[in-house]
Amino acid sequence: MIENKTTAIIMAVLTFILTIAVFIGVIFYFAGYSISSVSEHQLYVFSAVLIAAVLASMVYGRGSNERAVKAKRCVEESLGVQVKTTDMWRILRGVEQLPPFVIEDYVKQNINGVEAYEEGIKEFKKKLSDENLSEIRRIINQPVPELQNLLGELYLETDLKQFKILAEPSAEDLIRLNLKELKRVLFKEDP
């Protein structure tokens, strides 16, 4: 991971430019086209730009971990749980992949998300140590308002709207339901 967001941006831009140049050069060389015929072969150029954009986003996405460091500090201070920066980075990436409107729908419909991922959670549990499980138990036994305060702090640190939605009072029932279900799946506790 790249420690600095500015460096991550610069690396992503350089990756984008270099990838376009290399892919256009390779495609045109093997196809036997001259570089001056770029306008006639826009599909190849567009493909090179798409590949470059994907690679650049991967470089940037793997780049700056400033948000993960801030979120890690916030969680550790609030819950007293030790979190690795790489684990927090993965959590934030997972949260980013859930669009805010999906979370808003979960809140409005009070959807049991744990039920949908129950088998995956059970498989993941097999990889956890007893220490990991005790930390998870300590987190999910926190009062919901305290967890929502943490989510509000995480929103301020990361600017991820998903945390803001979950920190609102309307999300309390959703969080309570999913925590009960998580206790049932992980610890076989009846809700």
Side-chain angles (χ1 to χ4, degrees), residues 144-163:
V144 173
E146 285 183 28
L147 290 174
Q148 287 189 290
N149 286 338
L150 173 60
L151 291 165
E153 290 176 33
L154 285 170
Y155 168 68
L156 296 174
E157 293 293 338
T158 64
D159 201 33
L160 290 174
K161 188 177 179 190
Q162 294 87 332
F163 289 132

Side-chain angles (χ1 to χ4, degrees), residues 28 34 55 70 100 108 137 182:
F28 276 61
S34 69
L55 290 175
K70 289 178 181 178
K108 286 177 189 170
R137 184 185 294 271
L182 200 52

Side-chain angles (χ1 to χ4, degrees), residues 87-127:
D87 291 340
M88 184 54 70
W89 183 82
R90 285 187 191 113
I91 290 168
L92 294 178
R93 293 287 290 175
V95 169
E96 284 178 317
Q97 291 177 357
L98 279 171
F101 71 87
V102 171
I103 294 178
E104 288 172 346
D105 282 347
Y106 270 58
V107 170
K108 286 177 189 170
Q109 297 176 27
N110 204 25
I111 294 175
N112 182 350
V114 173
E115 186 177 66
Y117 298 102
E118 186 169 341
E119 292 306 313
I121 293 169
K122 286 178 180 177
E123 284 300 312
F124 184 71
K125 179 186 175 185
K126 294 176 185 176
K127 299 175 187 175

Side-chain angles (χ1 to χ4, degrees), residues 23 27 42-52:
F23 273 94
I27 291 169
Q42 293 176 2
L43 181 61
Y44 297 126
V45 174
F46 180 71
S47 298
V49 170
L50 277 179
I51 292 167

Side-chain angles (χ1 to χ4, degrees), residues 2-85:
I2 302 167
E3 295 294 326
N4 184 310
K5 187 175 185 175
T6 306
T7 306
I9 291 170
I10 292 169
M11 294 297 291
V13 169
L14 290 175
T15 301
F16 181 74
I17 293 168
L18 185 63
T19 304
I20 288 175
V22 168
F23 273 94
I24 287 176
V26 168
I27 291 169
F28 276 61
Y29 175 78
F30 284 112
Y33 302 130
S34 69
I35 296 295
S36 61
S37 66
V38 166
S39 63
E40 297 170 20
H41 305 286
Q42 293 176 2
L43 181 61
Y44 297 126
V45 174
F46 180 71
S47 298
V49 170
L50 277 179
I51 292 167
V54 167
L55 290 175
S57 70
M58 288 172 64
V59 167
Y60 180 71
R62 300 208 188 300
S64 175
N65 67 352
E66 288 177 38
R67 279 198 317 192
V69 170
K70 289 178 181 178
K72 172 187 181 271
R73 189 177 326 114
C74 185
V75 168
E76 288 178 347
E77 290 172 2
S78 295
L79 299 176
V81 177
Q82 294 299 312
V83 181
K84 293 179 185 174
T85 303

